[in-house]
């Protein structure tokens, strides 16, 4: 019986069907993580691995924060679970109020989920419910964007726009997709590019095709993360907001990656100065310590749905999850937000982003790098493909980086970086130097 360095047996290794993983490749040569501290993961050989993606865009404040551990431990000995339907607990209301005060404008109602995928399903269901209660039940169509990612649920793969996440499953929800904004004119742009605002006008064509009376919402990431850090043109999101206003279409920002500091602002909505009607969050809300997500909605949406609920004992929105607003997740979120505020991590990202920008763009001209994009503490590299194998070279780069002691994400034809907010300049330097050596074949 084979024994791995992590002390797993072959049957144990075989038992797990891993998510978004090449299972055969992994189980032939596993990369096992046994611990973490601060900005570093620890592998099963005891090596420290710099976490160049903050977990999965989740752990901006660094790993194993004692403040979060203490809050979770205390909650587990106070109230480990409370029924989410028809009963409440104080911490869920306190956290909702805190999020409402953090969110832009009158985005002040909070519906808790357990993940970004559930947040995407929830916000789009709320959009349909809103229009139905407004007396416009035909407004059901959801419009996404090519290269957009909104999770792995049926809804997420429907209005998500990454082909590899869609082709396996066959027909899902009917949806349309705006074009992505990854344009040749914007190659190697630093921050928000100048070209491509006009692509938002594709929404006009979709309104002409379907009529606004049939369109409920547009859902986009302010900055596409999983597709390789695609930053919107400077006025693109403002134009999308104008068009949604003109045609009575709700605008949803999926901020599962951009929420709570990644862009150098609390939300991508703040960074791009656009107020959507709903914001989806997850990941950084608990610093990755406990699964949690939420939909933050504008007051008029909540009022419309709730006020049309009939008798006061009726359930106005027949939707939710067993673990919505879980007490332990709420405790982790409150502690994580305390850290974010007390250590001024959002402003720290804003202050160090120019240094990070110069560092990543120093790799322009390196072998196989066909584009570099960045915003805040996120960067994406487009990597030239082997003939017919777009994902192979990014995998090889990420594998070589892991061996050097750096975790970066590979996906499609891209390499992605999402630094911890606690990263130091010296750590940026060592990361980029390792990237350069890897690209040069050293």
């Amino acid at each position: 019986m084979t024994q791995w360095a992590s002390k797993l047996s072959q049957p144990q290794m075989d038992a797990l069907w891993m998510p978004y993983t090449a299972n055969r490749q992994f189980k032939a040569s596993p990369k096992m993580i046994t611990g973490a501290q601060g900005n570093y993961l620890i592998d099963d050989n005891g090596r420290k691995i710099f976490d160049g993606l903050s977990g999965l865009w989740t752990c901006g404040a660094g790993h194993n924060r004692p403040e979060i551990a203490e809050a979770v431990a205390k909650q587990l000995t106070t109230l480990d679970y409370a029924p989410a339907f028809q009963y409440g607990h104080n911490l869920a209301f306190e956290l909702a109020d805190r999020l409402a005060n953090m969110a832009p404008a009158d985005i002040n109602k909070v519906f808790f989920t357990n993940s970004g995928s559930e947040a995407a399903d929830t916000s789009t269901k709320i959009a349909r419910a809103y229009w139905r209660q407004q007396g416009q039940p035909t407004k059901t169509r959801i419009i996404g964007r090519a290269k957009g990612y909104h999770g792995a649920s049926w809804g997420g793969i429907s209005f998500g726009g990454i082909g590899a996440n869609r082709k396996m499953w066959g027909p899902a929800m009917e949806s349309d997709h705006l074009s992505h904004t990854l344009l040749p004119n914007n190659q190697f742009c630093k921050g928000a590019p100048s070209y491509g605002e006009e692509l938002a006008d594709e929404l006009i064509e979709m309104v002409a095709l379907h009529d606004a009376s049939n369109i409920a919402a547009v859902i986009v990431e302010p900055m596409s993360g999983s597709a390789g850090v695609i930053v919107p043109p400077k006025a693109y999101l403002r134009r999308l907001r104008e068009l949604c206003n003109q045609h009575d279409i709700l605008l949803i920002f999926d901020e599962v990656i951009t929420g709570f500091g990644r862009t150098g602002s609390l939300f991508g909505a703040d960074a791009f100065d656009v107020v959507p009607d709903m914001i989806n969050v997850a990941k950084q809300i608990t610093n990755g310590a406990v699964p949690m997500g939420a939909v933050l909605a504008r007051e008029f949406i909540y009022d419309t749905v709730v006020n049309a609920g009939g008798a006061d004992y009726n359930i106005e929105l027949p939707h939710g999850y067993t673990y919505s607003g879980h007490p332990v997740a709420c405790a982790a979120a409150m502690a994580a937000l305390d850290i974010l505020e007390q250590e001024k991590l959002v402003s720290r990202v804003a202050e160090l982003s120019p240094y990070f920008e110069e560092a990543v763009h120093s790799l322009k001209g390196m072998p196989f790098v066909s584009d570099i994009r960045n915003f805040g503490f996120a960067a994406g590299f487009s990597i030239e493909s082997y003939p017919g194998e777009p994902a192979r070279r990014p995998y090889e780069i990420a594998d070589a980086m892991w061996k050097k002691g750096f975790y970066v994400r590979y996906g499609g034809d891209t390499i992605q970086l999402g630094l911890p907010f606690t990263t130091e300049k010296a750590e940026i330097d060592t990361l980029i130097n390792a990237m350069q050596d890897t690209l040069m074949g050293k």
Side-chain angles (χ1 to χ4, degrees):
M1 183 180 296
T2 301
Q3 290 286 336
W4 307 97
S6 58
K7 310 303 182 187
L8 292 176
S9 67
Q10 186 69 59
Q12 288 171 324
M13 184 66 72
D14 289 342
L16 178 62
W17 193 340
M18 300 175 69
Y20 274 114
T21 299
N23 278 253
R24 293 162 298 171
Q25 181 186 71
F26 180 92
K27 292 176 182 182
S29 181
K31 297 179 176 69
M32 301 296 290
I33 298 165
T34 59
Q37 190 63 48
N39 297 337
Y40 293 84
L41 305 168
I42 301 169
D43 75 0
D44 53 358
N45 293 309
R47 295 189 312 140
K48 289 177 65 177
I49 310 289
F50 179 74
D51 187 355
L53 197 72
S54 307
L56 272 174
W57 312 96
T58 50
C59 307
H63 292 277
N64 282 6
R65 295 296 303 243
E67 305 94 323
I68 299 175
E70 290 165 9
V72 166
K74 180 180 178 181
Q75 189 60 46
L76 280 169
T77 59
T78 305
L79 177 65
D80 62 340
Y81 178 77
F85 305 163
Q86 309 290 4
Y87 298 87
H89 63 93
N90 285 0
L91 203 51
F93 291 87
E94 293 168 12
L95 177 58
D97 180 62
R98 186 171 189 175
L99 294 172
N101 287 320
M102 296 172 78
D106 67 336
I107 300 176
N108 58 11
K109 303 298 179 183
V110 178
F111 193 105
F112 286 117
T113 68
N114 308 292
S115 67
S117 294
E118 290 182 358
D121 277 4
T122 297
S123 62
T124 50
K125 285 178 73 175
I126 288 173
R128 284 187 166 192
Y130 168 78
W131 289 116
R132 181 171 290 273
Q133 301 297 49
Q134 283 277 51
Q136 300 185 64
T138 61
K139 287 175 76 70
T140 59
R141 184 173 292 268
I142 307 296
I143 295 174
R145 183 167 56 185
K147 293 188 179 293
Y149 182 71
H150 304 292
S153 64
W154 279 112
I157 66 164
S158 300
F159 36 80
I162 298 177
N165 293 338
R166 296 163 57 88
K167 69 178 182 179
M168 179 74 78
W169 318 113
M173 287 175 56
E174 190 175 5
S175 185
D176 290 272
H177 295 80
L178 302 165
S179 295
H180 63 76
T181 60
L182 188 60
L183 305 175
N185 285 346
N186 293 329
Q187 285 183 333
F188 297 101
C189 178
K190 295 180 178 180
S194 299
Y195 297 98
E197 172 194 352
E198 69 281 356
L199 290 175
D201 287 343
E202 290 183 0
L203 183 57
I204 299 173
E205 300 171 15
M206 292 183 182
V207 169
L209 175 64
H210 299 295
D211 196 80
S213 64
N214 295 307
I215 301 173
V218 171
I219 182 170
V220 296
E221 300 158 278
M223 173 188 75
S224 299
S226 294
V229 185
I230 304 173
V231 185
K234 291 176 181 176
Y236 174 90
L237 292 174
R238 286 198 296 274
R239 179 59 177 157
L240 208 54
R241 173 74 276 182
E242 291 170 0
L243 292 172
C244 286
N245 288 345
Q246 289 175 19
H247 297 286
D248 281 337
I249 298 169
L250 297 179
L251 179 61
I252 302 168
F253 277 3
D254 189 326
E255 298 222 31
V256 170
I257 286 176
T258 56
F260 306 109
R262 177 64 51 191
T263 64
S265 299
L266 265 176
F267 298 96
D270 299 317
F272 296 105
D273 194 25
V274 176
V275 179
D277 299 305
M278 285 182 271
I279 294 177
N280 299 342
V281 296
K283 295 185 184 288
Q284 188 59 49
I285 192 173
T286 66
N287 200 52
V290 179
M292 187 177 219
V295 175
L296 317 181
R298 296 182 73 176
E299 189 164 14
F300 73 85
I301 296 174
Y302 173 89
D303 288 346
T304 295
V305 174
V306 170
N307 292 341
D312 61 5
Y313 55 81
N314 283 351
I315 295 171
E316 302 97 352
L317 186 73
H319 173 76
Y321 304 95
T322 300
Y323 301 112
S324 291
H326 192 286
V328 179
C330 288
M334 292 293 271
L337 295 176
D338 283 345
I339 294 169
L340 203 69
E341 293 175 354
Q342 292 166 8
E343 298 186 7
K344 298 180 171 57
L345 293 183
V346 178
S347 60
R348 192 174 191 281
V349 172
E351 290 164 8
L352 283 176
S353 289
Y355 189 88
F356 178 58
E357 177 175 88
E358 292 304 314
V360 297
H361 281 275
S362 73
L363 297 177
K364 181 180 180 180
M366 289 293 105
F368 314 122
V369 177
S370 59
D371 190 20
I372 301 171
R373 303 167 295 279
N374 72 282
F375 200 92
F377 258 16
F381 302 81
S382 292
I383 304 298
E384 293 175 2
S385 300
Y386 288 103
E389 295 183 273
R392 178 181 164 191
R393 186 168 279 129
Y395 161 73
E396 292 175 346
I397 291 170
D399 186 56
M401 288 291 287
W402 180 265
K403 291 172 181 174
K404 288 181 170 73
F406 300 89
Y407 162 52
V408 301
R409 185 172 189 268
Y410 63 97
D413 63 351
T414 71
I415 292 288
Q416 301 158 29
L417 302 178
L419 302 188
F421 306 160
T422 47
T423 301
E424 300 290 346
K425 287 182 178 179
E427 292 172 320
I428 295 174
D429 294 342
T430 57
L431 171 66
I432 298 305
N433 289 340
M435 279 281 292
Q436 178 172 310
D437 288 348
T438 299
L439 292 165
M440 295 294 290
K442 296 181 181 179

